Amino acid sequence: MHSQDVISALLGEIYEGVVEPERWTNALKQFVNLSDARFAFLAVIDGSTGTLPVSSVVGPETSALADALDLHRELVPIDPGVPYALARPEGGNFRFRDTGRALTPEPDVWHDFIRHELGSGDYHSRFSAGNDGVSLVLALHTPADMHRLTPEQEKLHALVFDHLQRASRLAYRPPDLRLIRHPAMLVDGKGKILDANPPAEAILSAGDGLSVTQGHLCTADHADGQELRQLIQGTCYANYDGPAERFCAIHRPSGERSYLLRLGFVPIASLGMHGVSHRCIIEIPGAGPPPCAPEKFGSLFGLTAREAEIAHLFASTFNDLRSVADHLGISHETARVHMRSIFAKTGAANQVELVRVLARF
């Protein structure tokens, strides 16, 4: 049995990942070490397509398993855990020994893949309830000579997965568009508008270049519409290794200056993995009310010039601290140091609360 201090440190690392998603990888490495397992397999299941758009392994053999993981992506159609999870939208557990013809047309092929290609003796998967049609999966694999997880391994697996689910919900809650001063809307991969703040609703109601048809975002110009649909699909459905933001100009029949749309992906609960988004935020920065000058709230809270600049950019222009750092040409770590100081001076407990505080000015 592991000491409570060791377990507490592991769980603390998981919740640190709410602000720094990279910390989840460290947490899973600790989990693998503490459980004496071979590796942990982390993935998401897209309920609409029955696929695993994002998957990764964490453990000492991660790089050596790259070829086997490539093969797994080809074998997803016979992975018994996928139909098992899809039939249980409330979440649940799957054990390797449950593999059978009721779940896969080729159980022998799957057994051979796990035992010989991956070289695992056993595995146990836990999957979350669906969120926006996506479920989180964490599987724990044992060494080849261990054909059954121990009760201690299963207990630690359940504990870690429970806290990973909670942390992922904290990290990837739907964005509150009301905290964005300029027009902003949330859309899915088909352009369906899921949410819009009041400035965006005003633009859509005016129908000058952008409008709503049967709940979907539409443009007055046909060519603009084609480009926008492609950008939305590329942002929402592609494995996200592209640019952090994409842009699109929308012409307005009134002859007024075109809208410049900025598209940014909204991560699914993938715990730090770069993967499929399924949703994106579309913002129109130049169409909202002018943001408050950073000097104003800088003087109110006693912020340095750099702190005021970072707070201003974070609250009015960018959705994440890394983009602010890139814009200013500073390291992410330096930006984090400034953000901690901003939190202390404004009394904000986190980034969401900071936006609320600055939105008052």
Side-chain angles (χ1 to χ4, degrees), residues 5-300:
D5 288 343
V6 172
I7 299 297
S8 296
L10 168 59
L11 300 183
E13 193 77 1
I14 289 173
Y15 287 104
E16 286 289 338
V18 173
V19 178
E20 301 174 65
E22 297 85 356
R23 303 284 285 270
W24 276 310
T25 299
N26 295 331
L28 290 178
K29 287 179 180 178
Q30 292 181 34
F31 166 52
V32 171
N33 292 335
L34 289 175
S35 62
D36 294 322
R38 184 162 173 245
F39 65 86
F41 175 78
L42 187 64
V44 292
I45 297 177
D46 179 357
S48 64
T49 61
T51 61
L52 275 67
V54 183
S55 61
S56 179
V57 296
V58 176
E61 300 177 68
T62 296
S63 59
L65 291 170
D67 290 341
L69 284 175
D70 287 340
L71 178 59
H72 175 257
R73 293 185 181 97
E74 298 177 9
L75 296 178
V76 166
I78 67 167
D79 184 338
V82 174
Y84 190 91
L86 293 176
R88 294 163 176 79
E90 73 284 357
N93 312 311
F94 175 79
R95 292 175 171 81
F96 178 46
R97 61 178 177 269
D98 295 330
T99 301
R101 293 196 178 278
L103 294 172
T104 175
E106 300 183 66
D108 294 337
V109 174
W110 186 252
H111 273 100
D112 184 68
F113 167 72
I114 294 297
R115 290 283 167 80
H116 301 293
E117 297 293 339
L118 278 181
S120 299
D122 188 25
Y123 75 86
H124 183 185
S125 298
R126 293 182 179 274
F127 52 92
S128 67
N131 178 22
D132 283 346
V134 175
S135 297
L136 172 69
V137 181
L138 178 65
L140 187 65
H141 285 245
T142 66
D145 59 354
M146 182 183 292
H147 291 170
R148 188 67 61 88
L149 268 73
T150 66
E152 291 76 16
Q153 287 173 324
E154 293 204 14
K155 183 177 179 180
L156 183 59
H157 187 195
L159 177 67
V160 168
F161 185 67
D162 180 53
H163 286 278
L164 282 173
Q165 290 185 88
R166 297 180 186 181
S168 68
R169 287 195 294 268
L170 287 173
Y172 295 115
R173 289 174 293 182
D176 188 348
L177 301 185
R178 294 169 298 176
L179 301 179
I180 302 176
R181 293 174 59 88
H182 49 255
M185 62 195 85
L186 183 69
V187 303
D188 66 12
K190 295 182 179 180
K192 181 179 180 181
I193 299 175
L194 306 175
D195 192 14
N197 64 8
E201 290 177 349
I203 286 179
L204 295 172
S205 297
D208 186 16
L210 289 170
S211 60
V212 183
T213 301
Q214 296 182 338
H216 289 73
L217 181 62
C218 296
T219 64
D221 183 86
H222 178 71
D224 287 350
Q226 285 186 319
E227 181 183 3
L228 181 57
R229 284 192 294 272
Q230 291 175 356
L231 288 176
I232 289 174
Q233 291 172 0
T235 302
C236 291
Y237 291 142
N239 281 338
Y240 209 83
D241 54 5
E245 298 174 331
R246 305 180 186 203
F247 297 87
C248 177
I250 302 296
H251 297 89
R252 301 167 65 180
S254 66
E256 294 290 330
R257 186 177 64 179
S258 297
Y259 290 129
L260 179 63
L261 275 56
R262 181 175 65 210
L263 288 75
F265 76 105
V266 178
I268 53 176
S270 55
L271 297 177
M273 297 185 295
H274 295 292
V276 177
S277 168
H278 291 269
R279 298 176 298 175
C280 71
I281 287 184
I282 298 178
E283 300 177 69
I284 315 176
C292 171
E295 295 82 4
K296 179 178 180 180
F297 51 75
S299 62
L300 286 172

